[in-house]
Amino acid sequence: MEDSASNSAEDAALAAAKAEKAAKMEEIRRRIPIEPTEGEIVRLRIVYPDGTKLQRNFLASDRFGFVLDLIDLDVFDHNLGFPEFRLCMTMPRKELDRVGASERADG
């Protein structure tokens, strides 16, 4: 009986965490700007460890947090299953820090 109650509590906690994550992703989806087609455009290509690619245009004036939010959203939408990531440039080789909340798109 105790195991059943424990499993129910764990299931409820997992369901609540999933619902919270989904709500956060919907908030991110609403604030990511429409992909620009004109202006000072920067095209970024993100390559995931499994080889999957995400490519999108941003304005040069867009905050770096939009890029991080877009990656979070893409990972969530495609259920890629890695909660953390490092963003690296290839030329010159440089790892970009995952900036704090004040630097994200909402800050």
Side-chain angles (χ1 to χ4, degrees), residues 62-96:
D62 283 342
R63 293 182 178 172
F64 185 66
F66 285 137
V67 175
L68 298 175
D69 283 344
L70 184 68
I71 295 168
D72 281 338
L73 186 59
D74 193 55
V75 167
F76 176 80
D77 285 348
H78 295 100
N79 200 23
L80 297 176
F82 45 91
E84 297 294 322
F85 57 86
R86 290 187 329 238
L87 197 56
C88 301
M89 294 178 12
T90 54
M91 293 299 269
R93 177 74 178 162
K94 179 179 177 183
E95 184 173 329
L96 305 173

Side-chain angles (χ1 to χ4, degrees), residues 36-75:
T37 57
E38 46 186 57
E40 192 175 348
I41 292 177
V42 176
R43 175 166 286 258
L44 295 177
R45 178 184 293 178
I46 310 298
V47 181
Y48 297 119
D50 68 355
T52 303
K53 294 175 181 68
L54 167 65
Q55 187 167 293
R56 188 184 192 282
N57 292 335
F58 292 89
L59 291 174
S61 60
D62 283 342
R63 293 182 178 172
F64 185 66
F66 285 137
V67 175
L68 298 175
D69 283 344
L70 184 68
I71 295 168
D72 281 338
L73 186 59
D74 193 55
V75 167

